[in-house]
Each structure stands twice: as structure tokens, then as C-alpha cells.
Amino acid sequence: MSDGTAIPGPDGLLRCPWGLSTPDYLAYHDEEWGKPVHGDDALFERICLEAFQSGLSWITILRRRETFRAAFRHFAIDKVAAFTDEDRTRLLADPGIIRNRAKVDAAISNAAAAREVRDSYDGGLDALVWSFAPDPASRPAPRTLSDVAATTPESTALSKDLKKRGFRFVGPTTAHALMQACGLVNDHLADCTAR
């Protein structure tokens, strides 16, 4: 049982405890989580997946990610923004994704919002999202899981800005999870090998 500090993985290297619960999490923890993500479509994908994760375990989304990518045309903003009622029906019948009508509708409407940001904000969605990244020097490395916040002033501000621009399912907790996953903040524990 972990006290919330980094623990040794199968190779003896210290990692965040959550990253050792399944092989899927181990790969995600080591290779993706907290690494900088750039590009409008790539960030749109993460916004959508974090929204689908809301109220669920991330492993549920992680294990279905390839199916989500296929269903949502690899999260190409223009393609998803052009989805029709037939696409919505197709998605709601797809057992490989989370068939939540509100979340499916949010992903489609978020594509339109992302397209608007891309076309009107200098640097697009990438620049907008990354403008909320805090100065890394202002955030001490967390020593235990209890030191990792669920929300921050920056995630609250990002959430508010995205909502103002028409995005849905982007509350402060979801925005913070996005910031963690996409490397805007580094919430790997201080002793974690992935830090």
C-alpha cells in the first residue's frame, strides 16, 4: 500500500502510484502523461477525451482510445464540425465508445468552437490552451499524491475561457486533467522517473 509517494515499478524505477495499477497505465504514464502536446487537432482530441472521461475512470477511455479515434475521424476539427445527425446516430450506436448523448453532442459542438478559435485566435487552439500554462518555477514538484490539486486558478481560468467560446464539458477539473495530460503542468511526483 502506497502512502502517496512514488513507488518502484517492475524495473525498480520510482513512479507515481497510479501509473503502476495496470500495464496500460504504466505505458501511458511513462510515454504520454505530462509530455507537451501541441497542434489544434491533437488538443481537440484531448479536450474531447477528457470530457468523455468525466465521471468515469481514465482507463475506460484509454482502452477505447483507438475506437474513439476511428469513430471521430481522428479528431480532425473540420471533419467533426461537419458531422450530421446521421453521424450522431452512428456514434450513439457505437459500442466501442462512451454512448452518452450529452458528451457526443458536446464533442461535435466543441469541434465547431475549436474551428472558430482556430480561425479567429492568433495561433489557434494550441496558442489559446497553452496561454494558460503557469510558470513551471511557480509550482513546486508534488511529493505525494495529496499534493496534486484537482483544480488550479489556471485550470479555472482555462475552463471559463473555453466555456465563453462555446465549449462544453470543460469544467475546472476537466481543464486541469487536460493541463496535466498535455504537459501544461508537470504533476509527476518529485521522485518519479517520468518527471
Side-chain angles (χ1 to χ4, degrees), residues 100-175:
N100 177 300
R101 182 176 302 277
K103 292 177 180 182
V104 167
D105 288 346
I108 296 169
S109 69
N110 286 352
R115 184 175 56 192
E116 177 63 28
V117 169
R118 184 194 64 208
D119 295 344
S120 64
Y121 189 89
D122 187 27
L125 185 62
D126 187 302
L128 173 68
V129 169
W130 277 88
S131 73
F132 290 91
D135 176 1
S138 71
R139 301 185 82 245
R143 308 269 339 144
T144 70
L145 292 178
S146 63
D147 295 333
V148 178
T151 64
T152 61
E154 294 85 3
S155 73
T156 301
L158 173 58
S159 168
K160 184 177 179 182
D161 191 275
L162 290 173
K163 286 179 181 178
K164 179 182 76 174
R165 296 173 189 277
F167 286 82
R168 296 166 27 202
F169 274 92
V170 289
T173 303
T174 299

Side-chain angles (χ1 to χ4, degrees), residues 67-87:
T67 309
F68 269 106
R69 286 174 173 162
F72 282 92
R73 308 296 186 255
H74 295 276
F75 293 96
I77 292 169
D78 289 329
K79 289 180 180 179
V80 179
F83 275 9
T84 64
D85 286 341
E86 289 172 356
D87 289 299

Side-chain angles (χ1 to χ4, degrees), residues 14 19 42 52 57 59 63 72 88 179:
L14 295 175
F52 274 103
S57 168
I59 197 71
R63 289 181 174 158
F72 282 92
R88 181 177 286 106
M179 296 174 85

